[in-house]
Amino acid sequence: MMDAGIHPGFSGEASLPFLDTVDLDTVDVLLVTHFHLDHCAAVPYVVGRTNFKGRVFMTHPTKAIVGTLLKDFVKVSGGRSDGALYTEKDLEKTLDVTEVIDFHQTVEVAGIKVTAYRAGHVLGACMFEVEIAGMRLLYTGDYSRVPDRHLSAADTPDSPPHIVIVESTYGVSKHLPRDQREQRFIEKVRGILVRGGRVLLPVVALGRAQEVLLILEECWNNSPELQNVPIYQASGLARRAISVYQTYIEMMNDDIKAAFQASNPFMFKHVTHLKSSQHLDDIGPCVVMATPSMLQSGLSRELFEAWCEDPKNGVIIADFAVAGTLAREVLDEPKEVMSHSGHKLALRCSVDAISFSAHADFPQTSDFLDLVNPPHVVLVHGEAGEMMRLKRALEQRAKATDRVRNLYTPKVTQPVHIRHQPRHIAKVVGRLAEKRPATEQALQGLLVRHGAQDSLMHPSDLPHFTKLHPGRVLQRQLLALQKPFSEVRLALEVMFEGTKGDTDLGQVIARTPQEAGITQSLKVGNAVTVSYKAEEGPQPAHVVLEWEGGSTSDMVADAVIAIILQSAGEPSELQQLEAERQAVLNKGDLDSATKHEMQILAALLNSQFGQAHVDQQQDLVMLQVDQQHVIVDYKAGKVSCSDDALRSRVERAMQRLIEAMNPVAVDVQ
């Protein structure tokens, strides 16, 4: 999950993302790009009020400011009629579980590689690159490719991404160059002050507010005639966050680092921080920076309503104005606006928009996408109209530069399906790496995955490179014999003796018997041991096959079993029993036929498992295999045995016998 914020135009649960469309229990990681409310304010709700159990990551400055910012958010939203989304305890829990990540650091979560890159925009803002199975996705969040007074431009990722999810806030608009913006801003501020008016700068408390303060401080330092005009910063949050800016000087640009060697650039000489609106000396010209930036509520709304009817005053919108907010409404210059209390106010003050919003414009986005050149681009974080204009412009740019680029503009909750062929890369280690293979030579070994890293190794190297150890599975199969073992040996030698080439399965070699009762023993293909036991009491003559499980030895064992079964023949009494069964069936004697069928079953089970006989008094077939007793109730079709695996094998054998003795009738027409 990338970011979890609230919509600034709504409050309460209406401001949340559509979290009910996502099974949050399946989300492994939540990545927060920066501290603005539309990107982070729903994180405590996700962590504290849902079934989310994943990990949360953000940069050091983001975590420091989120704690301060959201404490104020909880206090303010707690007084609303629609109630707070979460409590301070939820926020504390969120901060406790939140992990920090540095720029250019990579962490792994459940096989997912996550790398953070600088995004510009605000202090600590980052872009996240997520890599899964070789597929790289870059999420820009809010980003800027142009450095400002205190932040560097957004980074270029080390590897080209396959998918870029990019903001489309400004669509196809183009920002003025920084020096022209600052000059126009200062001219507008001067013009309002010269005519005796008050300047209202509605801003976000953190981010652009610090940028504007740096501009005003420099202007006042260079303009003695303005130094008697007060500049008020009317946000306690911004005042408290100054310490965070002072702490993370090293995460800002070189200009700020150099200035910090002489003095702290965030210790403003001409700016007064107001503890509350009561401390504002509202007499004569002044400059007031107040929150929120959208004029929805708070001190910025209060001052706007107090000053908007005086033509000497002016409002300068220095951030992006979201649709549905008062800031967007006044940019259309209506004659009247509705106050918070519901009565109409005449709009006579000047209204200007000079964006210091550190969002990428069209040239920045277009150049950035050309640089990283992803085949897939998903546009988000923008109004529908601007997104479609940006999509068309980027498609035209890709066509003009002969680039393959698919663009997507999904609606809210609409999924985007992109087919990607995973690329699997494995590191060859141990014995397999001792000799460099030829180009396109196939390597055979064990593929071991640890986190997101795959390694290919010889089975014997498993304990050296992992905590795993190879195991051995010894297979054992008993087959009854009705013919001399010499015939079986001959058949095996015909199949295996002297076979050469890539499919060489080896030879049949006589071995010295190792077990009591074994009269002859053979080694087939250097993989399967075939041991012969002569008839002893009720135990018929049989062979025992033993081999260590593996692809080659299993194949040899299958071939040996097929040869033995073919050469061993069927039980000698079977033909006579079948003939007698058919004779009594022709007479209609079903009881006698059933008794013969039980004898046939006993003969076949004796051939396959050994030591099977019919208990005539109980009408049961009794069987003993490896000290396990099996009772077959043929009439009821039931098999009883304490060993489930053996019972299942006998049941299958009985079912096949029944099917063989009762073939399906076929009508020929």
Side-chain angles (χ1 to χ4, degrees), residues 294-444:
M294 297 297 101
L295 298 172
Q296 291 297 89
S297 58
L299 183 58
S300 65
R301 179 63 173 262
E302 180 183 334
L303 293 178
F304 173 79
E305 293 184 5
W307 294 350
C308 70
E309 295 185 301
D310 188 342
K312 292 186 295 182
N313 298 330
V315 178
I316 301 177
I317 306 296
D319 205 343
F320 179 78
V322 177
T325 63
L326 181 59
R328 173 62 71 87
E329 182 183 347
V330 298
L331 287 178
D332 294 332
E333 298 183 354
K335 292 182 179 180
E336 294 179 331
V337 293
M338 192 68 68
S339 73
H340 223 26
S341 59
H343 62 276
K344 294 180 180 179
L345 297 172
L347 182 61
R348 299 191 182 97
C349 68
S350 63
V351 179
D352 294 281
I354 305 174
S355 176
F356 288 96
S357 173
H359 291 272
D361 61 0
F362 175 72
Q364 292 180 50
T365 295
S366 181
D367 291 346
F368 180 65
L369 292 177
D370 286 349
L371 182 64
V372 298
N373 196 28
H376 302 280
V377 178
V378 183
L379 303 180
V380 296
H381 198 284
E383 298 173 12
E386 286 298 325
M387 287 175 67
M388 294 307 298
R389 282 189 283 272
L390 177 59
K391 178 185 178 184
R392 288 192 292 269
L394 291 174
E395 286 174 338
Q396 293 170 2
R397 174 73 171 257
K399 184 177 181 180
T401 55
D402 197 26
R403 299 174 188 272
V404 177
R405 183 171 298 158
N406 300 289
L407 285 112
Y408 310 86
T409 55
K411 295 181 173 63
V412 177
T413 74
Q414 178 185 355
V416 175
H417 298 282
I418 297 174
R419 185 178 297 277
H420 177 77
Q421 184 65 41
R423 181 185 178 190
H424 295 289
I425 300 176
K427 182 179 180 181
V428 181
V429 297
R431 290 174 55 184
L432 295 181
E434 291 176 356
K435 183 180 179 181
R436 186 179 183 86
T439 304
E440 296 187 2
Q441 176 186 342
L443 289 179
Q444 184 175 8

Side-chain angles (χ1 to χ4, degrees), residues 469-525:
H469 293 269
R472 298 176 59 199
V473 178
L474 187 64
Q475 308 272 23
R476 196 167 187 267
Q477 177 75 46
L478 184 147
L479 297 172
L481 279 184
Q482 305 297 328
K483 292 185 178 181
F485 183 67
S486 57
E487 295 185 19
V488 173
R489 176 169 180 169
L490 178 62
L492 290 173
E493 288 178 344
V494 169
M495 177 66 183
F496 291 101
E497 190 76 25
T499 305
K500 301 296 181 182
D502 293 339
T503 58
D504 182 12
L505 297 179
Q507 298 178 332
V508 178
I509 303 171
R511 294 176 71 252
T512 302
Q514 302 294 319
E515 185 180 335
I518 298 292
T519 59
Q520 297 186 56
S521 183
L522 306 173
K523 187 76 171 182
V524 181

Side-chain angles (χ1 to χ4, degrees), residues 127-146:
M127 304 185 291
F128 281 110
E129 180 188 81
V130 175
E131 182 176 342
I132 304 175
M135 186 280 294
R136 291 182 299 278
L137 179 148
L138 179 70
Y139 172 63
T140 66
D142 294 351
Y143 81 114
S144 174
R145 292 283 290 176
V146 176

Side-chain angles (χ1 to χ4, degrees), residues 223-351:
S223 306
E225 72 279 9
L226 294 178
Q227 292 177 4
N228 63 336
V229 177
I231 303 173
Y232 296 111
Q233 160 60 288
S235 170
L237 174 61
R239 174 173 51 81
R240 294 193 299 274
I242 285 296
S243 62
V244 178
Y245 277 73
Q246 295 169 353
T247 301
Y248 292 102
I249 290 290
E250 288 302 316
M251 301 189 76
M252 299 183 195
N253 61 24
D254 292 338
D255 292 341
I256 288 291
K257 293 177 186 177
F260 190 73
Q261 299 301 316
S263 62
N264 189 337
F266 293 101
M267 295 296 289
F268 301 112
K269 177 182 176 182
H270 302 286
V271 177
T272 301
H273 292 281
L274 297 179
K275 293 184 179 180
S276 65
S277 59
Q278 286 75 24
H279 292 81
L280 174 63
D281 184 12
D282 192 11
I283 301 175
C286 63
V287 178
V288 179
M289 298 178 60
T291 58
S293 62
M294 297 297 101
L295 298 172
Q296 291 297 89
S297 58
L299 183 58
S300 65
R301 179 63 173 262
E302 180 183 334
L303 293 178
F304 173 79
E305 293 184 5
W307 294 350
C308 70
E309 295 185 301
D310 188 342
K312 292 186 295 182
N313 298 330
V315 178
I316 301 177
I317 306 296
D319 205 343
F320 179 78
V322 177
T325 63
L326 181 59
R328 173 62 71 87
E329 182 183 347
V330 298
L331 287 178
D332 294 332
E333 298 183 354
K335 292 182 179 180
E336 294 179 331
V337 293
M338 192 68 68
S339 73
H340 223 26
S341 59
H343 62 276
K344 294 180 180 179
L345 297 172
L347 182 61
R348 299 191 182 97
C349 68
S350 63
V351 179

